[in-house]
Structures are given as C-alpha cells and as structure tokens.
Amino acid sequence: MKKRMSTAIAAVAVMLSASFTTQAFAATPFNDIANAGSKVKIEALQQQGIIKGVSDTAFHPEDSLTAAQGISLIVRTTQISLAAIDFNKAPTADGYYTQVKNDAWFAEDFVIAHYNGLDIPADIDPSAPLTKEQFTHYLVQALELTGQYPTIKMFIPIQDEKDIKIDYQGTIQRALLYKIASLDEAGNFDPAHVLTRGEAAAMLYDTQAFIEAHKDDVAPDPNPELPAANE
C-alpha cells in the first residue's frame, strides 16, 4: 500500500516553515539594495522569508541567479509541495538529477519541482546561472499548478522570438499575459540574458501578487497531471 510523504520529508517541511516564519519577524534589512529598482519587492519577499541574502545584511541584487537559487525561490513563492503525491518510498534528489546531491540545501526543492512536473533537465548544474527564458519557463509552470487561470487569447509579438527555445515559447507568452515578465522598449525578450537576483525577485513578487489577486476566482486543479511517483 502506498504511503503519503515520508515522516522525514514532513519534518523537514515543518522545520523550513518554522525557519521562514522566524525570518519573517526577525529579518535584518539588506544594506545593499538602496539603488536596486526592485528594492521594495525584495524587502517584501524578505519579510515573508521567501528570499534570503548572501549574508544577514547583504542581498547582492546584481549577482547572477544560479539554478539552485532560482528553483528554490520558485518553490517557496508558489508553495508547491509533495503533499498530494503518494510514494512507495521517500524520493531523493539523486534519484532523478545527476548533479544534485541529497544533502544540498536546495535538494528538497529540486525534488518538489520534479514531482510537480517542472521541465528541469536531469543534468542541470545547480551552480550554473539561469537565463531569463529558463527561469520564466519554470516559474510559469509552477504558477499554473496553483490554479486554473483564465488568459486572454491573444498573441504578443516578440521581436526576438526566433531566439527563444521552442519549448519555452508558450510559457513565455503566458508570462507576458500574466504580467510577470516583460519585453524591453524594442519589443525584445532577450531570452539568453542571465537573470540577476534582483530581477528574479521582481518576477517572484509579481507572481505572488498574481496568485493573491486571483485566489478567490480560481481553485487548484483537483487532478493535476503529475509524473508517476515511482519514476
């Protein structure tokens, strides 16, 4: 008989929740975001315990966002989890990812992302920077797990669409419609742009705002299409 998420995983989730709650009340303001365009959004996410700095007082908004940071932030922001998935045994990061160690601080987030169907390559390098198209693709996939959101059936012209990976074009179009991503003044998306921590924070804030604004209008999909837990 299949068992629900293991006691160990549940315990980790409780500890993480407690840690975030503590940080939400005791977070020390970052001293290096005064000139960041997303300062207000960074501060709001910090107070909720969603984002953390490279130290207690520094965020480094101009640093490149790594895959480890990006996936972890997406999971925290959208609050996707393993709660609705049955397992024969507790899942491990190295059961799917070739470069994610089970004891890494972000390992559980990668497991959650995988079993919720995020299109993350098995050989992803957690230390590698994420491009704008990669982060947007994963973020939209996670966002859409939180509810069935109506979208206007319209196509937004993207001047550099030919440079966007074909598999990402649909999610990027929806990100533009959801207003969690944007084009530059010339109408370009700049898919290969390496996202900074500050830019990612702004997108995460807008994603959270989108979910909050629509929470009374939609209900989570009762039958989401998720990978089999015994993969």
Side-chain angles (χ1 to χ4, degrees), residues 32 38 43 52 56 58 77 81 91 119 123-124 140 162 167 173 177 185 189-190 196 205 230:
D32 62 347
S38 52
E43 291 175 334
K52 298 180 181 179
D56 290 340
T77 300
S81 71
D119 185 25
D123 62 352
I124 190 170
V140 169
K162 67 181 186 304
D167 292 344
Q173 276 287 329
L177 290 170
E185 294 181 355
F189 183 75
D190 195 7
T196 67
Y205 179 92
N230 60 356

Side-chain angles (χ1 to χ4, degrees), residues 37-73:
S38 52
K39 177 179 181 294
V40 173
K41 296 179 179 181
I42 292 172
E43 291 175 334
L45 293 177
Q46 182 197 19
Q47 290 302 315
Q48 296 176 60
I50 292 175
I51 64 173
K52 298 180 181 179
V54 297
S55 70
D56 290 340
T57 58
F59 180 67
H60 289 193
E62 298 305 320
D63 282 1
S64 297
L65 181 77
T66 67
Q69 295 167 350
I71 298 304
S72 182
L73 287 169

Side-chain angles (χ1 to χ4, degrees), residues 91-111:
T92 59
D94 65 3
Y96 182 73
Y97 300 103
T98 60
Q99 299 189 62
V100 179
K101 296 181 179 180
N102 293 330
D103 60 354
W105 64 266
F106 48 84
E108 184 185 20
D109 294 321
F110 273 73
V111 170

Side-chain angles (χ1 to χ4, degrees), residues 10-158:
V12 171
V14 170
M15 287 189 290
L16 284 173
S17 177
S19 173
F20 293 163
T21 300
T22 299
Q23 183 179 358
F25 289 100
T28 301
F30 296 131
N31 60 19
D32 62 347
I33 61 172
N35 297 319
S38 52
K39 177 179 181 294
V40 173
K41 296 179 179 181
I42 292 172
E43 291 175 334
L45 293 177
Q46 182 197 19
Q47 290 302 315
Q48 296 176 60
I50 292 175
I51 64 173
K52 298 180 181 179
V54 297
S55 70
D56 290 340
T57 58
F59 180 67
H60 289 193
E62 298 305 320
D63 282 1
S64 297
L65 181 77
T66 67
Q69 295 167 350
I71 298 304
S72 182
L73 287 169
I74 288 171
V75 170
R76 294 180 197 174
T77 300
T78 59
Q79 298 183 42
I80 57 175
S81 71
L82 301 177
I85 306 174
D86 290 336
F87 294 98
N88 287 317
K89 61 179 181 179
T92 59
D94 65 3
Y96 182 73
Y97 300 103
T98 60
Q99 299 189 62
V100 179
K101 296 181 179 180
N102 293 330
D103 60 354
W105 64 266
F106 48 84
E108 184 185 20
D109 294 321
F110 273 73
V111 170
I112 290 171
H114 169 64
Y115 282 103
N116 277 277
L118 272 63
D119 185 25
I120 302 171
D123 62 352
I124 190 170
D125 179 357
S127 64
L130 282 181
T131 63
K132 185 179 179 182
E133 68 173 357
Q134 288 174 312
F135 184 76
T136 302
H137 180 62
Y138 304 146
L139 181 57
V140 169
Q141 288 185 320
L143 163 63
E144 293 177 340
L145 289 170
T146 67
Q148 295 177 299
Y149 300 103
T151 57
I152 300 173
K153 292 185 177 180
M154 63 177 290
F155 177 80
I156 298 178
I158 302 174

Side-chain angles (χ1 to χ4, degrees), residues 164-170:
I164 299 174
K165 184 177 179 179
I166 293 177
D167 292 344
Y168 296 169
Q169 291 180 359

